Amino acid sequence: MNNELYQFSTLTVLLLLLAFYGGTYLMTLGIRKKNEDADAFMVSNHRVGFGIGAASMTATWIWAASFYAAATSGYTYGVSGPIHYGLWGALMILFIYPFGRRFRKLAPNAHTLGELIHARHGSSSQLILALSNVLGSVISLMVNFTAAGALVSVLSPLSFQAGVIIAGVGVLLYTLWSGFRASVLTDFAQLVALMAIAIVIIPAVFFAMGGPTELVAGLDTLTPEQASFFSMDAILNQGAPFFVAVLAYAIGNQTISQRLFAVNEDHIKPTFLTATVGYGAIVIGLGMIGLMALTTGMEPLNGDMNNLIPQMVSGYLPPLFIALFFILVIGSLSSTADSDLSALSAIMMADVYGKNIARGKADPKRMLLVGRLTMIIATMVGVVFASFALDILVMLVFVGALWGAIVFPVIASCFWNRVTNQAFTTSVLVAMVLFCVARFELVSLDGGSGLFFELLASVGGGVIIGLMVFGFLGRTAGFIAGVLALVAMLVFATGFLHDYTVLLASLTAYGASTVVCVVMSLLSRQPDFDFDTIRERVGDYDSHEEAPGAADDDALPAATRLAGQR
């Protein structure tokens, strides 16, 4: 590897950033409206076609963490690291599908999952879900801006803070006016660029460092755990926590829910299947760059794992490829950052203003003002928090695990008519508290207290497996699979799981919320809920004159609509 990293001049980097963000902004000018539609701003009037939907889902899921955390996983855990990151993330997109289909059936005209929960339970449960989404989206913004800062600081004389600010302003510039419509339109173009990663960048780095021979030779330098495809260290510290966290992302992340409610209902299945395959192929390849860095003995610049991929590309590839890589990373993190801004604006527009401040009598023009102000404030907050330069993989697992507290209450509320508002609210709050206690070891995890958390975690493991099987095979199969998983956890996990606090805390969030929610719901004397009332309580905010059979996503240009058809 070259001793010195290649760096662009300040002028070159600024021109590259101007070309990307300027071009993206010009692209969105074609869909701007003089009088914007609040429903189009949030979910494109529920008419996004298959091509655009699949591209948007894939581009949104492939974010800064997909680059940096996938490489960190490969570098830290060796040959199994890329699989533990990319495969589980891909499968989680697939597991969203059966639950998403239920959400869409209950509330076909919803803009956020919070609206559905408001119709099911009321304000307290909805606001808990909304606040968790706000927290997650702000952290996601921070992660993406952090990645931009790391990239700019490694490949140019510009500072980390300069990269963060440029990315924040650039994303806000093209998203502010058209919201979600701008996000899905630019996602399509950004995904086309992202495909070049698998086709060009990854093979180029691989052969520049010596090809298969050099990689195999480098495997001899790995530890036995890093060289094992079935490394328990990788499974317990990376694979299992990420497996748990990403299911929570699937249910708790508004960027995913927003696309679920935006895609034409007939196109939901192919959209999710296509995004599953696309995500897995690209991200596992990105993780391989981290493995390559490990086999070469490379040390992360300044000890920062976020510098791994920029170092590998800068050290092995010529300037043209480095420039291409620069644009690809900026495009990937921007596609997710604009989705986060759109998600945050929808939450504030629908969940906070529409359902709680205006109480169902929302003014669409005022909603748009709320949404745009939210984007501006969220960008400022994301830039400020990004300046702390926190570890991306740690932040990813933390917020995903915290979201685990809402997974069972949300899913149960949409399938079981006994769940009450009090059960939902209490279970989430209790689970969040216990998660933080376990995650930060606020009490000793040895002895009786450790056993208590291991028992809750065992329940959590059973819940995760049970929910996944239930989604595809039904209630009976899900219950049997959950019980078997619980028994296996009780036999094999108790006694040692307290040594793996990340996994323990993640599973505790699932287990605690499930136990509290089920017990309180069974003890409640409230009448069973009528799910048919949800459709009546959740609707659009603007009046639309188009006929029901109008073409998909008429808010987007003609060429884009054609790409969205089957």
Side-chain angles (χ1 to χ4, degrees):
M1 180 174 175
N2 299 335
N3 292 327
E4 294 191 9
L5 300 179
Y6 180 88
Q7 282 197 332
F8 295 112
S9 67
T10 300
L11 177 61
T12 301
V13 167
L14 290 176
L15 288 175
L16 286 172
L17 290 168
L18 179 63
F20 175 79
Y21 285 118
T24 308
Y25 175 76
L26 292 175
M27 183 185 301
T28 62
L29 289 180
I31 61 171
R32 290 181 65 165
K33 294 180 178 180
K34 183 177 180 180
N35 295 312
E36 190 60 69
D37 183 326
D39 293 312
F41 190 89
M42 289 189 282
V43 290
S44 290
N45 303 123
H46 316 285
R47 294 176 183 170
V48 173
F50 160 60
I52 293 293
S56 183
M57 180 72 74
T58 306
T60 297
W61 206 251
I62 299 175
W63 57 319
S66 301
F67 279 79
Y68 295 95
T72 298
S73 184
Y75 185 86
T76 304
Y77 300 109
V79 295
S80 64
I83 301 297
H84 282 304
Y85 192 96
L87 179 61
W88 302 137
L91 290 180
M92 288 307 100
I93 299 177
L94 182 64
F95 280 119
I96 303 169
Y97 163 65
F99 302 116
R101 188 173 54 182
R102 174 66 175 176
F103 299 155
R104 190 67 183 269
K105 180 180 179 181
L106 292 175
N109 294 320
H111 308 82
T112 69
L113 188 55
E115 285 185 308
L116 191 160
I117 296 300
H118 183 276
R120 176 70 173 86
H121 290 306
S123 294
S124 62
S125 296
Q126 178 215 20
L127 289 176
I128 284 179
L129 181 60
L131 288 174
S132 70
N133 275 320
V134 168
L135 174 64
S137 291
V138 168
I139 290 178
S140 177
L141 268 179
M142 180 200 72
V143 166
N144 284 286
F145 294 159
T146 297
L151 182 70
V152 169
S153 64
V154 169
L155 296 183
S156 80
L158 290 171
S159 67
F160 172 85
Q161 287 76 14
V164 169
I165 293 171
I166 292 171
V169 173
V171 171
L172 180 64
L173 180 70
Y174 72 81
T175 313
L176 184 63
W177 188 262
S178 301
F180 179 76
R181 295 188 302 117
S183 177
V184 294
L185 174 63
T186 55
D187 281 346
F188 186 80
Q190 288 159 352
L191 180 66
V192 173
L194 280 168
M195 295 304 293
I197 297 169
I199 298 172
V200 178
I201 296 294
I202 297 172
V205 172
F206 181 64
F207 286 104
M209 61 167 280
T213 304
E214 190 71 23
L215 179 63
V216 172
L219 294 178
D220 294 335
T221 64
L222 305 186
T223 67
E225 283 289 330
Q226 290 174 331
S228 172
F229 192 78
F230 302 100
S231 165
M232 289 303 297
D233 182 46
I235 291 172
L236 292 173
N237 288 300
Q238 168 66 43
F242 192 64
F243 181 78
V244 171
V246 179
L247 178 59
Y249 264 85
I251 300 300
N253 194 331
Q254 169 60 16
T255 64
I256 304 301
S257 300
Q258 198 167 17
R259 280 152 183 77
L260 170 69
F261 290 119
V263 172
N264 184 304
E265 198 163 358
D266 295 336
H267 299 161
I268 291 177
K269 183 176 181 178
T271 294
F272 281 89
L273 289 174
T274 304
T276 297
V277 175
Y279 174 92
I282 294 175
V283 174
I284 291 175
L286 289 169
M288 293 299 294
I289 294 182
L291 176 60
M292 295 176 205
L294 177 65
T295 60
T296 62
M298 187 191 74
E299 293 293 329
L301 187 67
N302 300 324
D304 187 352
M305 288 289 191
N306 297 340
N307 291 328
L308 278 174
I309 287 187
Q311 280 179 260
M312 288 291 286
V313 172
S314 177
Y316 284 109
L317 298 184
L320 178 62
F321 282 83
I322 299 172
L324 175 61
F325 166 79
F326 183 87
I327 293 297
L328 290 174
V329 178
I330 292 295
S332 72
L333 64 88
S334 297
S335 70
T336 306
D338 64 42
S339 299
D340 288 319
L341 290 181
S342 298
L344 285 165
S345 64
I347 291 169
M348 296 304 294
M349 291 167 72
D351 293 347
V352 177
Y353 170 72
K355 295 299 182 183
N356 289 282
I357 297 177
R359 297 189 178 278
K361 299 180 181 179
D363 178 358
K365 291 183 179 180
R366 186 166 295 176
M367 290 185 79
L368 288 168
L369 177 61
V370 169
R372 289 176 179 136
L373 287 175
T374 299
M375 287 186 173
I376 294 171
I377 295 171
T379 300
M380 294 171 60
V381 172
V383 167
V384 169
F385 278 98
S387 65
F388 298 137
L390 300 174
D391 185 277
I392 288 177
L393 186 58
V394 171
M395 294 304 302
L396 175 71
V397 173
F398 175 79
V399 71
L402 188 60
W403 270 341
I406 68 172
V407 173
F408 181 83
V410 167
I411 293 177
S413 295
C414 296
F415 287 90
W416 188 23
N417 56 13
R418 291 289 300 276
V419 180
T420 65
N421 180 45
Q422 290 79 8
F424 185 106
T425 305
T426 306
S427 64
V428 172
L429 293 177
V430 169
M432 285 184 172
V433 170
L434 291 176
F435 163 79
C436 291
V437 170
R439 180 66 181 85
F440 301 110
E441 298 185 56
L442 300 180
V443 299
S444 172
L445 295 180
D446 295 323
S449 57
L451 181 60
F452 169 75
F453 281 103
E454 286 177 338
L455 291 175
L456 281 179
S458 296
V459 174
V463 169
I464 292 171
I465 299 301
L467 287 176
M468 291 178 176
V469 175
F470 162 68
F472 287 98
L473 300 179
R475 182 180 306 173
T476 302
F479 181 79
I480 294 173
V483 170
L484 292 176
L486 171 60
V487 172
M489 289 287 292
L490 290 173
V491 172
F492 298 107
T494 51
F496 86 97
L497 193 59
H498 63 271
D499 292 329
Y500 300 89
T501 53
V502 174
L503 179 57
L504 177 71
S506 303
L507 292 172
T508 295
Y510 281 89
S513 63
T514 300
V515 171
V516 175
C517 185
V518 169
V519 170
M520 290 187 65
S521 298
L522 290 174
L523 293 177
S524 172
R525 297 182 180 276
Q526 292 186 16
D528 293 346
F529 182 78
D530 181 4
F531 285 112
D532 290 337
T533 60
I534 293 179
R535 180 186 293 260
E536 301 169 6
R537 297 173 182 176
V538 180
D540 290 329
Y541 292 94
D542 291 279
S543 58
H544 304 292
E545 298 178 358
E546 294 89 341
D552 288 352
D553 201 10
D554 60 355
L556 297 178
T560 304
R561 294 201 306 270
L562 288 174
Q565 302 304 313
R566 285 187 178 273

